[in-house]
Amino acid sequence: MSKNKGDKNIHKNQRYICIAMGAYNLQVTIDQDSGFCFGVVYAIDMAEEILAEDGYLYCLGDIVHNDEEVERLKAQGLRIIEHSQLKDLRNEKVLIRAHGEAPDTYRTALENNITLIDASCPVVLKLQNRIKTSFDNKEKILIFGKHGHAEVIGLQGQTNNEALVFQDIAELEDVELPHNITLYSQTTKSMDKFYNVKDQLISRGYDLKANDTICRQVSNRDKDLPKFATRFNKIVFVSGRKSSNGKVLFEVCRKHNPDTFFISSAAELDKTMFSPNDTIGIAGATSTPMWLMQQVKEALESF
Ligand code: SF4
């Protein structure tokens, strides 16, 4: 699938865009580096192939942290299930999304004769392996990541849930740690925050093995977005509210352009946010489909 598969109406709508310029005459540009990362493209591609053949497919958790894209795939037959439901399922195909899974999930699938369609992102799989190796080497592992996030659960699972997960350095204040510690990061954390955590741990005197395992699909956007954000009067950032990298990248935009608005769909746009002749940049998370940003562009141009 191309980056924009699922954006089937774009070409059809281009003619519409040209004739639908609204009275506000907003000049709208979509950041061409925004939209699905290759890990998400891979997972959605796999899901769509099976949906086309079988008509339905189970997926463990939301395939992507974007409700609009999830709804689009549900309409094709995707059935989202929770881990508790996996235990009751037998003889079916189940997709593992890009976030990856803990070893428990693979065990349950084997017991229940479930065929796993494993769309774990290769970047996440590599990180899981590195954490497993550290665990086998008896290192004390810290994971800088969001509590309860699917990827983090999968990472912690590599350590028999013994790795210590924290999302804020303050959480380590009252924790007794050994002198030697190994630090990893969830792939979608902010680069600045990770290096800040690293510096603070070193300044506290720990012998720290710090592994910057932030995905370059996210950190490169960290670097490119500031330039994009400063080119326009206003930025409309489109993302699901559950997306971790959506929060990170929104903050990057807002830091460089205070007139940055967060929305999840075109329905959340409000004309009063804008002034006539504004230039507007649209950016999104690695889980934001291009078709959704295109819808937002069309809505803005109709104002
Ligand atoms: S952000 Fe990176 S690690 Fe996460 S799914 Fe995308 S490519 Fe994979």
Side-chain angles (χ1 to χ4, degrees), residues 257-276:
N257 187 333
D259 283 326
T260 296
F261 304 103
F262 187 105
I263 61 164
S264 292
S265 70
E268 292 174 30
L269 287 170
D270 184 339
K271 217 173 179 174
T272 59
M273 298 168 171
F274 309 101
S275 308

Side-chain angles (χ1 to χ4, degrees), residues 1 4 37 43 53 65 76 84-85 91 138 171 199-200 205 221 234 275 277 284:
M1 183 178 76
N4 300 331
C37 60
E53 261 175 41
H65 284 159
Q76 290 180 38
S84 55
Q85 293 170 281
N91 314 317
K138 313 228 175 313
E171 292 173 40
D199 291 346
Q200 290 206 46
R221 290 185 192 184
K234 285 165 189 157
S275 308
N277 304 316

